[in-house]
Amino acid sequence: MHAFDVLGDPVRRRLLELLADGERSAGELGAVIQEEFGISQPGVSQHLRVLRDNGFATVRAEGTRRLYAVDPAPLREIDVWLERYRRFWTQRLDALGTELARGKRERRMRGGTNSPTDAGRTDTAGPPDTVGRTDIAGLPDTSNTPETAGRTDTAGPPDTAGRTGGRTGAVPSGEATGGEATGRR
């Protein structure tokens, strides 16, 4: 069986992923595979046998347990075969690495971002800047999204003049809306 035929099966690929973390018993492997793929224990045993017979896994007995581990030799052969094709993705991966580094440098220079992709990240420089941003009710804007950063016109409940927040913005003090001055900023 060709290496790609062996690795073409998602169950066998998953077994190799589990074994990449270290030696595991057949029972441990069977439990994970049975839960994830819904196949029987004899089915798992067949996949383990294919991996073992084709050199991707080794097995050793320890009492009544069978412990499986990855044999890296066939994986090295695949790596050698893939070498001629790496040029197709290496340049793109290098460009991606450059763009990621550029973005990280820009975030450091700005002291963090308010983008949704940075939510929950711990590598940004401190809390987002909310100084000077207010919502329609005059409270700090904590939405932290690029769309609302710096805006003072977030939607809210109607104010005393019957306006809704929307995109109209707050009315400067002393200007009338609907006949009365709101005095809001």
Side-chain angles (χ1 to χ4, degrees):
M1 189 178 268
H2 190 275
F4 288 109
D5 293 329
V6 173
L7 297 179
D9 187 279
V11 173
R12 290 191 286 264
R13 284 195 309 270
R14 180 64 176 133
L15 284 166
L16 280 177
E17 288 171 6
L18 294 168
L19 293 173
D21 293 332
E23 189 176 65
R24 294 198 179 207
S25 71
E28 287 178 85
L29 295 168
V32 172
I33 297 300
Q34 287 172 342
E35 182 178 320
E36 290 181 10
F37 291 92
I39 62 175
S40 66
Q41 191 280 324
V44 175
S45 294
Q46 287 179 327
H47 285 289
L48 285 169
R49 181 176 181 188
V50 169
L51 290 175
R52 191 178 62 238
D53 289 350
N54 287 282
F56 284 89
T58 60
V59 64
R60 70 179 181 86
E62 186 178 90
T64 59
R65 295 176 7 147
R66 299 291 173 255
L67 299 174
Y68 285 84
V70 170
D71 185 345
L75 297 173
R76 282 191 214 107
E77 292 172 15
I78 291 171
D79 187 51
V80 168
W81 185 85
L82 286 171
E83 186 61 38
R84 82 173 87 160
Y85 301 101
R86 280 199 175 84
R87 64 186 164 96
F88 293 114
W89 67 77
T90 301
Q91 185 178 12
R92 289 187 176 138
L93 290 175
D94 290 343
L96 175 62
T98 300
E99 289 302 313
L100 290 173
R102 181 178 293 141
K104 194 173 188 179
R105 184 177 62 244
E106 288 173 2
R107 279 193 309 274
R108 276 195 316 264
M109 291 172 61
R110 285 193 314 257
T113 73
N114 294 328
S115 79
T117 57
D118 287 337
R121 290 182 49 168
T122 59
D123 64 344
T124 57
D129 178 23
T130 58
V131 175
R133 292 190 302 168
T134 57
D135 67 7
I136 193 76
L139 299 172
D141 176 8
T142 58
S143 60
N144 294 333
T145 63
E147 298 79 25
T148 60
R151 282 184 30 198
T152 60
D153 61 346
T154 56
D159 64 13
T160 57
R163 290 186 306 111
T164 57
R167 296 216 132 235
T168 60
V171 177
S173 178
E175 289 187 23
T177 59
E180 43 183 284
T182 61
R184 288 188 177 197
R185 284 198 180 261

